[in-house]
Amino acid sequence: MLMRKVPGFVPASPWGLRLPQKFLFLLFLSGLVTLCFGALFLLPHSSRLKRLFLAPRTQQPGLEVVAEIAGHAPARQQEPPPNPAPAAPAPGEDDPSSRASPRRRKGGLRRTRPTGPREEATAARGNSIPASRPGDEGVSFHFDFNAFRSRLRHPVLGMRADESQEPQSRVRAQREKVKEMMRFAWQSYKRYAMGKNELRPLTKDGYEGNMFGGLSGATVIDSLDTLYLMELKEEFQEAKAWVEESFHLNVSGEASLFEVNIRYIGGLLSAFYLTGEEVFRIKAIRLGEKLLPAFNTPTGIPKGVVSFKSGSWGWATAGSSSILAEFGSLHLEFLHLTELSGNQVFAEKVRNIRKVLRKIEKPFGLYPNFLSPVSGNWVQHHVSVGGLGDSFYEYLIKSWLMSGKTDMEAKNMYYEALEAIETYLLNVSPGGLTYIAEWRGGILDHKMGHLACFSGGMIALGAEDAKEEKRAHYRELAAQITKTCHESYARSDTKLGPEAFWFNSGREAVATQLSESYYILRPEVVESYMYLWRQTHNPIYREWGWEVVLALEKYCRTEAGFSGIQDVYSSTPSHDNKQQSFFLAETLKYLYLLFSEDDLLSLEDWVFNTEAHPLPVNHSDSSGRAWGRH
Ligand code: DMJ
């Protein structure tokens, strides 16, 4: 193109800008760039951008980290007691330090504050559940609560005849004592940590932890059904009001699928079935939807950690293996999510897990603890009925019972697994104590974890439906294992049991190192006492349960709640400053049931999930929803 020369015009650049104009333009450009980078670093919600532009992906932690968040970790993986905390926030107030700097452990989960309702609505996308507005979802589906209640064979809270006939009985006083402990545990939590996940009784403040992806109030949700069945009515209303007003699902952190399922989903489901209050049903379904991205793996075996972040595919930062006890302990809750929502997606997810497990080859009929969600193969051959494996076995027999004894597949898998466990893991010590060892590719570790002590109760529960010729044997086996677990308590100075105990070098049912000598208010031993009591009515189980009550009062009760202890072999143990939510959900509930009549939450009508939340047995013969296909 020809350019005419115009007088006074000096072509300064190919863009036709003069020097001062060019200078101004460059100045503007550099200002813009500075502004953008400034925003990236300084604006409060820029952390996601920073991650995108500046940081490599968080390094994937190994199996131990996954185990740790699952609460299945061996002793060395437990958190040390927290450092003295800053001044306690007022009840119900957020801890400002946690807001400014989310707790992050090496390899741990990111926990972020709630971000907004849009996050909630989008979490379900890609899993056949339409995104919906908070509050309206699940409402359109009608669950006939009255029909469900009319099918129960016993009143939920039992006949209560015992109390009027024996007002001064010892067992009534024992039950009242447990109720008082629950009231104290709740009131302490409410006073110092309401809305936080757990109470720290020594520092008198709350603790959020990093297992729940930003969800709060684990103790509230875990306590609902215990408060209800103990008829702590005022306290139950306080808990319910908190769920209605303050339990927000619009969080975007990374959570343990297992822990959220057993504590939050389990707690909400049982609160709904006990009361018929819609708020619990709706929140359970909404939260269930948020868990679905975890299943987006090549095999459909979920990863242990789910990201609640909007649009995420659930491929969060945890390691490459999924844990048997975690992906194997979803069945009960997910069937009930389908039952209460009418949405098959939940049941399909857990049916697929069952299918993978049924097909895969099992070494000697045993189920190793780690499975690749990508290849569907076992990752290593470590088998345990304690941590990492435990509740998978529990959910097999309970799936059978919860189905109204129609889920034959679960029944067969359970008895086959139990046979293999008996053949390869069961031992009797020189001193005559029966225990279930851990198996590492054929080599036995002669130890039992506290977690494995639930198995006495499980075997008792399953004994009645075993082959005729095995029933008495299983009853006896359950009693022997429970006796061994009682020994682990009886042989300590505090009469509380250690986290793990060994059978070697002439020592039996005792921990061999300090790192395994702690007790964190765990329920498994009293859980077995409860099942054995209901099966046998042998008064020894109530005696043993009472020993635990006295020990808890003496060593774990503090001015502001109950705390775990660091050494069961010390008569002056230090406290770990944590009132675990499962203490209210499980330990106190099982103790209360132990001192109650059998028709309080009758086992004919209810199964307890692995966090002791009661879920109803399917007595309907016409349900096409959750129990439709076996
Ligand atoms: C609870 O959260 C559950 O019982 C789980 O199955 C194992 N660990 C704790 C209690 O010890």
Side-chain angles (χ1 to χ4, degrees):
M1 181 163 80
L2 178 75
M3 294 229 354
R4 254 174 215 267
K5 199 169 181 195
V6 180
F9 177 72
V10 184
S13 74
W15 297 341
L17 294 180
R18 289 165 192 247
L19 204 59
Q21 287 171 316
K22 196 167 132 191
F23 176 71
L24 274 176
F25 180 67
L26 282 174
L27 204 66
F28 171 72
L29 254 185
S30 66
L32 198 67
V33 169
T34 314
L35 200 69
C36 287
F37 270 90
L40 196 64
F41 284 96
L42 299 175
L43 288 182
H45 297 296
S46 64
S47 57
R48 264 179 257 151
L49 286 173
K50 268 188 239 175
R51 241 185 350 253
L52 199 69
F53 289 119
L54 304 175
R57 286 289 293 164
T58 312
Q59 218 189 343
Q60 297 207 342
L63 301 175
E64 295 77 11
V65 173
V66 184
E68 184 174 357
I69 58 168
H72 294 136
R76 63 190 163 76
Q77 293 163 347
Q78 290 294 325
E79 263 196 17
N83 293 326
E93 198 176 274
D94 272 349
D95 177 353
S97 63
S98 74
R99 195 180 306 119
S101 134
R103 293 179 69 84
R104 284 187 68 172
R105 275 184 293 172
K106 193 175 167 223
L109 304 178
R110 274 196 298 276
R111 186 187 155 271
T112 50
R113 305 297 303 171
T115 49
R118 256 185 37 224
E119 303 256 1
E120 268 186 63
T122 49
R125 277 184 206 144
N127 287 288
S128 339
I129 294 186
S132 46
R133 288 185 305 281
D136 68 353
E137 48 290 318
V139 173
S140 56
F141 177 80
H142 176 69
F143 176 78
D144 192 341
F145 186 76
N146 290 331
F148 147 69
R149 287 297 285 259
S150 70
R151 286 193 292 267
L152 292 179
R153 306 209 166 133
H154 302 269
V156 174
L157 298 183
M159 297 297 285
R160 328 295 282 177
D162 175 57
E163 286 185 15
S164 55
Q165 286 165 15
E166 296 181 85
Q168 303 304 322
S169 72
R170 180 168 184 241
V171 70
R172 185 176 178 195
Q174 290 172 318
R175 187 164 64 238
E176 285 303 315
K177 177 64 202 166
V178 177
K179 183 170 172 175
E180 184 279 326
M181 292 164 79
M182 179 68 189
R183 188 186 288 114
F184 174 67
W186 170 261
Q187 287 179 349
S188 304
Y189 166 76
K190 188 182 82 174
R191 176 156 184 211
Y192 298 111
M194 188 68 181
K196 293 295 175 75
N197 280 321
E198 285 167 320
L199 163 70
R200 298 198 297 184
L202 301 193
T203 44
K204 298 183 179 170
D205 59 5
Y207 173 78
E208 290 290 39
N210 64 355
M211 291 193 304
F212 305 119
L215 293 171
S216 286
T219 296
V220 181
I221 312 277
D222 252 356
S223 298
L224 283 163
D225 51 18
T226 310
L227 294 172
Y228 183 85
L229 81 99
M230 290 183 181
E231 298 184 87
L232 288 166
K233 294 180 182 162
E234 204 178 300
E235 290 80 358
F236 175 81
Q237 288 307 328
E238 291 162 359
K240 184 185 140 196
W242 185 87
V243 174
E244 284 170 332
E245 290 153 26
S246 308
F247 180 46
H248 301 300
L249 306 185
N250 52 330
V251 293
S252 59
E254 292 174 358
S256 159
L257 170 67
F258 168 79
E259 296 290 353
V260 171
N261 178 58
I262 67 168
R263 298 193 203 209
Y264 286 91
I265 304 268
L268 291 166
L269 288 172
S270 68
F272 171 71
Y273 280 117
L274 291 174
T275 65
E277 299 277 1
E278 276 290 282
V279 61
F280 301 129
R281 181 177 77 93
I282 290 167
K283 297 230 176 196
I285 295 167
R286 298 286 298 128
L287 189 50
E289 291 167 8
K290 286 179 77 79
L291 298 181
L292 292 174
F295 294 82
N296 293 328
T297 66
T299 56
I301 295 287
K303 292 203 87 177
V305 177
V306 60
S307 170
F308 287 150
K309 202 162 65 176
S310 170
S312 158
W313 286 86
W315 286 85
T317 51
S320 58
S321 292
S322 298
I323 293 174
L324 181 68
E326 297 192 338
F327 65 79
S329 307
L330 304 167
H331 208 93
L332 306 181
E333 297 83 358
F334 273 53
L335 288 197
H336 276 294
L337 286 176
T338 285
E339 185 69 5
L340 294 185
S341 68
N343 194 321
Q344 281 294 335
V345 72
F346 301 108
E348 280 162 15
K349 299 293 183 200
V350 290
R351 278 198 204 105
N352 178 62
I353 295 175
R354 175 83 68 75
K355 201 162 119 196
V356 173
L357 284 173
R358 199 165 37 79
K359 280 195 182 149
I360 188 173
E361 201 182 309
K362 275 99 39 202
F364 305 99
L366 296 167
Y367 289 81
N369 289 336
F370 296 103
L371 186 84
S372 161
V374 176
S375 67
N377 293 325
W378 302 118
V379 172
Q380 48 171 264
H381 285 183
H382 174 216
V383 178
S384 163
V385 175
L388 306 173
D390 49 8
S391 42
F392 159 68
Y393 305 98
E394 176 186 354
Y395 271 38
L396 287 178
I397 188 63
K398 288 182 176 176
S399 292
W400 156 252
L401 295 170
M402 199 181 81
S403 70
K405 305 194 178 180
T406 59
D407 185 352
M408 289 300 295
E409 187 177 71
K411 180 185 184 187
N412 293 336
M413 285 170 77
Y414 170 75
Y415 290 111
E416 282 162 20
L418 189 55
E419 291 252 8
I421 288 164
E422 260 202 273
T423 308
Y424 296 103
L425 276 64
L426 197 74
N427 271 276
V428 180
S429 71
L433 296 179
T434 300
Y435 63 96
I436 304 180
E438 300 198 357
W439 192 85
R440 291 178 192 275
I443 313 276
L444 288 186
D445 275 348
H446 292 273
K447 77 161 183 185
M448 247 181 112
H450 192 289
L451 290 165
C453 284
F454 86 99
S455 60
M458 176 186 74
I459 294 169
L461 187 65
E464 303 314 315
D465 292 320
K467 287 184 195 139
E468 176 79 52
E469 66 271 21
K470 295 283 274 186
R471 285 180 200 163
H473 167 70
Y474 284 143
R475 280 188 215 115
E476 180 56 20
L477 181 58
Q480 288 304 326
I481 291 172
T482 304
K483 181 173 159 221
T484 298
C485 290
H486 172 259
E487 283 303 314
S488 78
Y489 277 49
R491 293 177 189 200
S492 77
D493 293 44
T494 55
K495 306 300 167 211
L496 293 166
E499 181 68 1
F501 45 94
W502 291 78
F503 300 85
N504 56 20
S505 318
R507 305 188 71 193
E508 299 195 353
V510 287
T512 53
Q513 42 190 318
L514 187 61
S515 62
E516 294 173 334
S517 300
Y518 61 91
Y519 171 70
I520 56 168
L521 307 173
R522 286 200 191 276
E524 291 76 17
V525 175
V526 292
E527 176 180 351
S528 284
Y529 295 166
M530 192 281 289
Y531 283 110
L532 267 292
W533 162 256
R534 286 217 173 167
Q535 182 176 71
T536 65
H537 287 166
N538 182 338
I540 196 70
Y541 298 113
R542 281 185 166 169
E543 288 310 317
W544 290 350
W546 190 243
E547 287 170 10
V548 176
V549 169
L550 297 180
L552 286 168
E553 284 286 284
K554 185 164 178 189
Y555 296 105
C556 300
R557 190 167 178 139
T558 75
E559 186 199 320
F562 288 89
S563 167
I565 55 174
Q566 287 172 341
D567 183 4
V568 296
Y569 302 106
S570 160
S571 53
T572 52
S574 314
H575 291 111
D576 70 2
N577 195 22
K578 197 148 173 209
Q579 180 175 280
Q580 305 276 350
S581 77
F582 54 67
F583 180 65
L584 295 89
E586 299 190 74
T587 312
L588 293 176
K589 184 186 285 134
Y590 285 132
L591 283 168
Y592 189 78
L593 293 173
L594 177 64
F595 299 116
S596 298
E597 294 297 298
D598 294 356
D599 61 359
L600 175 60
L601 293 177
S602 161
L603 296 177
E604 278 188 74
D605 285 326
W606 304 91
V607 294
F608 292 93
N609 87 340
T610 193
E611 189 79 359
H613 296 305
L615 299 173
V617 169
N618 175 40
H619 289 315
S620 159
D621 49 10
S622 62
S623 174
R625 294 194 294 271
W627 286 271
R629 304 172 216 139
H630 296 129

